[in-house]
Amino acid sequence: MQIVAYGVLADEEPLLRAAFAGLLRDGHELRCLGLFLDRDTAPTATGHDVVLSSVNDTLDAGVLRALAEGGTRMIAQRATGYNNIDLDTAAELGLTVARVSAYSPYSVAEFAWALALAVDRRIVRAAHRTREFDFRLDGLMGRDLRGRTAGVVGTGKIGAAFARITHGFGMRLLGWDVAENPECLALGMEYADRDRLFAEADLVSLHVPLLPETHHLVDARTLALMKDDALLVNSSRGGLVDTDALLETLRAGRLSGVGLDVYEEEAGVFFLDKSLEVMTDERLARLMTFSNVLVTSHQAYFTRDAVGQIAEATAGNVADHLAGRTGANTLVPPAAR
């Protein structure tokens, strides 16, 4: 069996090959490519039974048809999210689709807190100054977070991990989700409706999946509810935040700090070197102009622990496909063919 992986990062490849060692010993072959999968690159998958996709690959109807025509029978997404995959078309074409339903929640939760602290304490600005031997403190004043209110939007595994860290900081916890998490309740979290959470929180951190009902969850109305000096952190999915509304809020001088590890138009930009090109995405360029905004390139999950677990789960999904098994990670089962 021929397997091809797209969007493979240099630090990821050794972990991916280690996870697939058993399958490779059985005679299967793994090809790792740095390029992303889209309509232009889909022909490179011809002859490969399994495609290991990344979250920034495009797997729309056209790409899936090209893959199926080229002999692909399975898509194994190396991520939890799968909004980039047209599942209905995959089912029509008889393509099995699986994802990684869970990996280290601490990787994302810890990074979300790193973003919160970085924008609260102006760490990036301070680091840039000191590298130029400018040791002034003007404009670097932050605030204690102990005793203030944190709003955790989404209290699944990652949200709960974030809540545990927040509890350690001595913050009051507000939560919003479709179901209450007993683990979060044990920390003293109070569940509230969305409007109340955004209105009362000094720090809002997003940990919900991107679904039709959560698209632009943070819009102009929601942002208007937030305190002028609140912090907003998004380490989940870019589409949760209406970028235009956020820009208008920042232009008005509101929000003390914003930490974004994701961006709604990140496909084709994040994970790539654009330093020698003109940045044609005006909204992303404008975000970069605000000194209280920190943008990172979807790296919250990027720890050895999490990436190793993602690789192991992906290898398990492929092994299940070969054995005709389905499990919690299966999105489109073989029976749908």
Side-chain angles (χ1 to χ4, degrees), residues 42-66:
T44 61
T46 299
H48 293 83
D49 308 88
V50 175
V51 165
L52 310 184
S53 57
S54 70
V55 71
N56 276 340
D57 290 326
T58 300
L59 291 117
D60 57 19
V63 171
L64 291 174
R65 288 192 180 93

Side-chain angles (χ1 to χ4, degrees), residues 49-288:
D49 308 88
V50 175
V51 165
L52 310 184
S53 57
S54 70
V55 71
N56 276 340
D57 290 326
T58 300
L59 291 117
D60 57 19
V63 171
L64 291 174
R65 288 192 180 93
L67 294 179
E69 290 171 2
T72 297
R73 292 293 173 263
M74 182 196 188
I75 308 294
Q77 175 95 325
R78 305 190 318 279
T80 300
Y82 52 90
N83 53 288
N84 60 321
I85 306 174
D86 185 334
L87 297 181
D88 291 336
T89 298
E92 291 173 9
L93 295 170
L95 293 170
T96 300
V97 182
R99 63 162 177 161
V100 177
S101 58
Y103 57 87
S104 169
Y106 310 107
S107 60
V108 179
E110 291 171 5
F111 193 85
W113 254 105
L115 286 176
L117 290 174
V119 295
D120 177 52
R121 302 303 300 270
R122 316 294 191 243
I123 291 174
V124 174
R125 180 188 291 184
H128 286 163
R129 281 189 186 179
T130 55
R131 290 181 73 87
E132 298 296 328
F133 303 104
D134 178 353
F135 300 103
R136 293 172 300 158
L137 297 182
D138 296 338
L140 300 183
M141 182 175 284
R143 58 177 174 171
D144 292 1
L145 292 175
R146 179 178 177 81
R148 289 188 162 85
T149 299
V152 185
V153 181
T155 57
K157 291 182 179 179
I158 296 174
F162 183 87
R164 285 196 297 274
I165 299 171
T166 306
H167 182 261
F169 271 79
M171 297 187 75
R172 170 187 174 228
L173 285 166
L174 285 180
W176 179 82
D177 209 329
V178 294
E180 297 182 355
N181 186 333
E183 182 182 347
C184 293
L185 291 172
L187 295 172
M189 176 179 285
E190 178 185 357
Y191 279 83
D193 62 61
R194 185 176 64 180
D195 287 0
R196 180 186 163 203
L197 182 149
F198 277 90
E200 294 186 14
D202 298 288
L203 162 64
V204 174
S205 190
L206 307 181
H207 301 287
V208 291
L210 180 60
L211 303 168
E213 54 268 33
T214 60
H215 180 255
H216 285 182
L217 179 75
V218 181
D219 56 12
R221 191 188 70 82
T222 308
L223 289 164
L225 294 171
M226 295 181 69
K227 298 178 181 180
D228 287 348
D229 61 352
L231 305 173
L232 174 65
V233 173
N234 186 11
S235 58
S236 184
R237 287 292 180 267
L240 299 176
V241 177
D242 182 337
T243 306
D244 289 328
L246 178 59
L247 285 168
E248 287 301 317
T249 300
L250 291 166
R251 286 193 195 100
R254 300 186 59 247
L255 300 185
S256 177
V258 177
L260 304 174
D261 185 51
V262 288
Y263 169 63
E264 60 180 325
E265 300 297 336
E266 68 182 57
V269 178
F270 282 17
F271 303 147
L272 299 173
D273 182 1
K274 297 289 186 177
S275 61
L276 298 179
E277 301 177 22
V278 174
M279 177 48 64
T280 57
D281 188 325
E282 294 184 2
R283 293 188 299 172
L284 180 58
R286 287 175 185 170
L287 279 174
M288 300 291 195

